[in-house]
Amino acid sequence: MEFQFISVALLLLLQPSNLLALDNGLALTPPMGWLAWERYACDIDCTNDPDSCINEKLFMDMADHMASHGFRNLGYEFINIDDCWATKMRDDKGMLQADPVRFPNGIKALADYVHSKGLKLGIYGDLGSHTCGGYPGSLGYVEKDAKTFADWGVDMLKLDGCYASEADYETGYPEMSKALNATGRPIVFSCSWPAYIKTPNYTRIAEVCNLWRNYDDINDSWDSVLGIITHYAQNQDQFQPFAAPGQWNDPDMLIIGDFGLSLEQQKAQMAMWAIFAAPLFMSNDLRKLPKESKDILQNKEVIAINQDKMGKQGRLIASSITKHSGQRKSPEVTNMVFARPLDGGDLAVAMLNTGHFSGPHNITVSFKDAGVSWSKASVRDVMNGMDLGMFTDSFSAPVNPTGVRLVRLTPAK
Ligand code: GAL
């Protein structure tokens, strides 16, 4: 008995970081699912917007569609609530409570419903005094809220950082991480920590969170998508090395199937999120999803790159600015080439044309720039499901304006 006690105590001492930090065995590949915020924001007007307000029906509808329209079977498993689900005040026991009009059956019943569809439920909170939308935050209630979420059967928590100080981030994220672990329920932990501070300590963040937002909120526009891609390209040394199984950089939601992106741009977002090993959370109306958008979101070969089990995030390996003749102001067309090594030795490459002017132009990827040891590879266009042949030293292809060519290179034997 005494020996057992000592060996348990020894084990505890030997693994301090595992027990205090996040070692929950979750999100070994980037999590996939659906998240309400970009498309539905804080619409709580269910009288005028019955189909697009934040209520239990919205999440049940999305769960139904994820399960019955092929998404679940491809790995999209989370249905995630964002802000504005709660009442403005805690109950008299200090507990968070769902808005009783919009969630008449409560979050536990919603979780049961989502689970009955073979899916998982995510919820949103904030480590400050209030959420960004002004609902109660977890400051002073961390353990209580972690327990509440676990009791409700929640499978993922996005913890935002509004109404908090820099010191609150340092303590609040680790505390919630520990409190979630202590519930004994597997709960994927999504943090907004780095998005709120100037020089994030990614070593620490990766010990505490399964995924973390690095940058501004996405909105329904190509400018926003390109802004995020550019931020990732320019700051890759800061955070790219920290992506790995169980710990992911999160460039924010997929807006494929919404209003702001052309078809080319939707493909570009999907391709880039695959290269970035990004969590794939759609924020769209699955009930009215255009067929072409669904095809992009359900492209198995692109998903396979995103979900590659080695979990290495891709990097910018080359970029160039081309003066475009024939326009009065000589607009510039910028090429960016990103590469991501895959399990088994293949290489995924995204060739991005960020220009808006005239037709497609050629982008070249040099195998040397990609840092690989081989010089001959077969090339497959994964977005379009086409083998393009064997290439030596480099590969070139025309890429449409604000579009991408996503290829998979397999070294010749
Ligand atoms: C923002 C966050 C968004 C969304 C929103 C809710 O800070 O980045 O993704 O969660 O708060 O109010």
Side-chain angles (χ1 to χ4, degrees):
M1 198 57 182
E2 203 180 303
F3 173 73
Q4 254 180 24
F5 173 77
I6 291 172
S7 53
V8 169
L10 244 177
L11 258 179
L12 290 174
L13 275 175
L14 287 173
Q15 305 189 338
S17 61
N18 283 355
L19 290 168
L20 295 176
L22 197 59
D23 184 23
N24 58 9
L26 301 174
L28 296 182
T29 61
M32 299 169 65
W34 186 92
L35 175 59
W37 183 256
E38 193 287 323
R39 179 69 184 246
Y40 297 99
C42 194
D43 184 347
I44 54 172
D45 183 357
C46 296
T47 310
N48 290 309
D49 305 325
D51 289 330
S52 56
C53 68
I54 302 302
N55 66 1
E56 63 185 23
K57 184 177 169 296
L58 180 73
F59 298 97
M60 290 163 81
D61 280 359
M62 295 307 160
D64 293 346
H65 276 71
M66 288 245 299
S68 62
H69 288 78
F71 287 98
R72 181 190 59 200
N73 295 346
L74 289 166
Y76 291 93
E77 60 173 347
F78 287 96
I79 294 285
N80 286 8
I81 304 169
D82 206 281
D83 207 349
C84 310
W85 59 270
T87 53
K88 286 268 166 123
M89 303 286 285
R90 289 173 180 269
D91 74 6
D92 50 14
K93 294 196 189 76
M95 311 287 274
L96 288 171
Q97 45 186 349
D99 182 283
V101 177
R102 292 180 288 117
F103 294 84
N105 298 294
I107 302 295
K108 174 137 185 34
L110 180 57
D112 290 346
Y113 184 82
V114 166
H115 293 155
S116 78
K117 298 277 164 185
L119 298 164
K120 294 178 173 165
L121 185 74
I123 204 162
Y124 167 97
D126 190 291
L127 58 68
S129 60
H130 294 86
T131 71
C132 302
Y135 293 81
S138 293
L139 195 64
Y141 294 88
V142 169
E143 278 169 26
K144 191 173 222 145
D145 291 351
K147 192 164 179 316
T148 302
F149 297 141
D151 289 347
W152 285 344
V154 161
D155 307 291
M156 177 163 173
L157 171 67
K158 169 177 172 181
L159 192 68
D160 214 335
C162 275
Y163 300 102
S165 69
E166 192 133 334
D168 293 333
Y169 303 126
E170 296 300 324
T171 54
Y173 281 109
E175 264 176 32
M176 182 58 91
S177 185
K178 202 173 148 199
L180 291 175
N181 278 356
T183 67
R185 185 174 175 84
I187 299 179
V188 175
F189 189 32
S190 164
C191 302
S192 303
W193 191 355
Y196 282 95
I197 51 180
K198 267 216 184 84
T199 42
N201 176 350
Y202 279 104
T203 306
R204 182 75 187 119
I205 291 165
E207 286 171 349
V208 168
C209 313
N210 290 118
L211 57 153
W212 50 82
R213 284 274 308 282
N214 313 84
Y215 191 57
D216 295 347
D217 289 4
I218 198 161
N219 64 43
D220 196 358
S221 73
W222 176 245
D223 271 3
S224 169
V225 171
L226 187 57
I228 293 169
I229 294 170
T230 307
H231 180 81
Y232 266 51
Q234 288 173 346
N235 299 283
Q236 58 185 5
D237 291 342
Q238 206 193 351
F239 53 77
Q240 176 271 344
F242 293 92
Q247 47 185 79
W248 309 105
N249 290 297
D250 178 8
D252 212 2
M253 293 157 270
L254 293 170
I255 53 167
I256 295 163
D258 290 317
F259 309 101
L261 299 186
S262 71
L263 204 53
E264 283 304 317
Q265 294 164 350
Q266 294 178 52
K267 289 180 186 169
Q269 190 190 20
M270 188 73 185
M272 290 312 307
W273 267 230
I275 288 284
F276 289 149
L280 297 181
F281 283 95
M282 308 176 280
S283 193
N284 53 15
D285 189 347
L286 295 175
R287 299 163 299 195
K288 296 182 187 152
L289 194 64
K291 159 105 177 48
E292 315 81 70
S293 303
K294 184 177 169 207
D295 289 346
I296 296 169
L297 290 161
Q298 296 199 346
N299 186 314
K300 285 190 184 144
E301 293 185 53
V302 181
I303 292 174
I305 292 174
N306 173 271
Q307 294 288 297
D308 182 76
K309 68 173 192 234
M310 200 161 73
K312 266 213 166 302
Q313 180 175 327
R315 290 177 64 86
L316 181 79
I317 56 162
S319 61
S320 66
I321 293 173
T322 316
K323 291 271 184 224
H324 197 279
S325 58
Q327 301 278 340
R328 241 187 309 156
K329 282 189 161 174
S330 294
E332 290 167 339
V333 179
T334 303
N335 301 339
M336 295 192 208
V337 180
F338 295 83
R340 172 175 181 189
L342 301 173
D343 188 52
D346 284 6
L347 187 75
V349 175
M351 300 141 86
L352 179 70
N353 171 4
T354 64
H356 284 90
F357 298 93
S358 73
H361 72 257
N362 264 349
I363 299 185
T364 299
V365 49
S366 125
F367 299 170
K368 204 165 135 239
D369 285 350
V372 291
S373 57
W374 34 265
S375 56
K376 198 169 174 200
S378 65
V379 178
R380 181 168 171 82
D381 179 334
V382 293
M383 192 62 82
N384 300 304
M386 279 166 51
D387 286 327
L388 303 177
M390 194 66 85
F391 292 80
T392 306
D393 294 334
S394 68
F395 167 74
S396 297
V399 184
N400 296 337
T402 64
V404 79
R405 175 85 53 164
L406 180 66
V407 291
R408 185 172 183 130
L409 275 54
T410 305
K413 292 248 158 60

